[in-house]
Amino acid sequence: MCLSLQYLTADRNHLWYVPRHLCQLPSLNELSMAGNRLAFLPLDLGRSRELQYVYVDNNIHLKGLPSYLYNKVIGCSGCGSPIQVSEVKLLSFSSGQLTVFLPAEVKSIGTETDHVLPLQELAMRTLYNTYYVYLKDLNFLTPISLPKSLLELLHCPLGHCHRCSQPMFTIVYPKLFPLRETPMAGLHQGRTTVSFVAYCCSTQCLQTFDLLS
C-alpha cells in the first residue's frame, strides 16, 4: 500500500505476472511493464481514475487487456504474437481464433448459458457484502472460518465487474473486443494483436456490456 507512489517502471524484468494488489495503489498515475513475459494483467487494472498511462509493449504472450484500459493511453506494440500453446499453461478462453489467458486465481469461466452462479461465488459475495459493505470490517473473519486463499480474496477481490462494479472472487464472464475492430486500431497500425476484455459478474452484465458506449 504505497499511498504516494505515482510512477512505477518494471520494464525488462522477466516478469510472468504482476499482483492484483497493484490495482489498489491510490496515487498510481503511470505504469510501465514493457519487455516482460506477461501473459495476463490484473482484471481491475485501469479501474482507478488516477491511472492514466499504461505501457506493456513487447509482452508476446499478452493477448488480452482489461477493458478498463480502453480510455487510457496504452503502449502495447509487440503483444499477442503467435506462440505455441504448450509454451504457456494457464486457464484461457477462446472466441473465434482469439485465445486470451486468465490469472491463476480464476477458478471458472462463465458463459451466456450459465444463469446460476457457483455456490462458492455466491457465498463469497454474501460475505463481502455483509462484512465489508455493511460492517466495514473484514477482520471478523479468520483463517479458521475461511481458507487463507479465500480470505485474501475477500480483502482484495479477483476483480470488479466492468459493467456494474460487483466484486468477483472465483468466476468471471469474459467478453472480447479485438483492438483491430475498435477506433484505436489506427493508432497501432498492426503492430499488436490483442483484444480488450470485459470481465463481467453475470450473464446479464455480459450481454449488456458495450465497450464503446
Side-chain angles (χ1 to χ4, degrees), residues 64-100:
L65 306 173
S67 68
Y68 285 129
L69 293 177
Y70 182 71
N71 292 319
K72 312 292 182 177
V73 177
I74 301 170
C76 58
S77 296
C79 294
S81 300
I83 57 174
Q84 296 295 325
V85 176
S86 59
E87 289 186 37
V88 179
K89 295 181 179 179
L90 291 169
L91 189 65
S92 64
F93 71 97
S94 300
S95 178
Q97 296 181 339
L98 297 171
T99 298
V100 172

Side-chain angles (χ1 to χ4, degrees), residues 152-195:
E152 183 181 341
L153 277 170
L154 277 179
H155 285 272
C156 183
L158 182 65
H160 291 77
C161 178
H162 292 200
R163 175 72 174 82
C164 72
S165 293
Q166 164 77 44
M168 302 174 292
F169 302 94
T170 63
I171 186 173
V172 296
Y173 294 77
K175 188 173 185 178
L176 281 177
F177 297 88
L179 185 148
R180 64 173 180 268
E181 298 176 9
T182 72
M184 288 188 65
L187 297 176
H188 295 278
Q189 300 176 343
R191 296 189 300 271
T192 184
T193 308
V194 297
S195 296

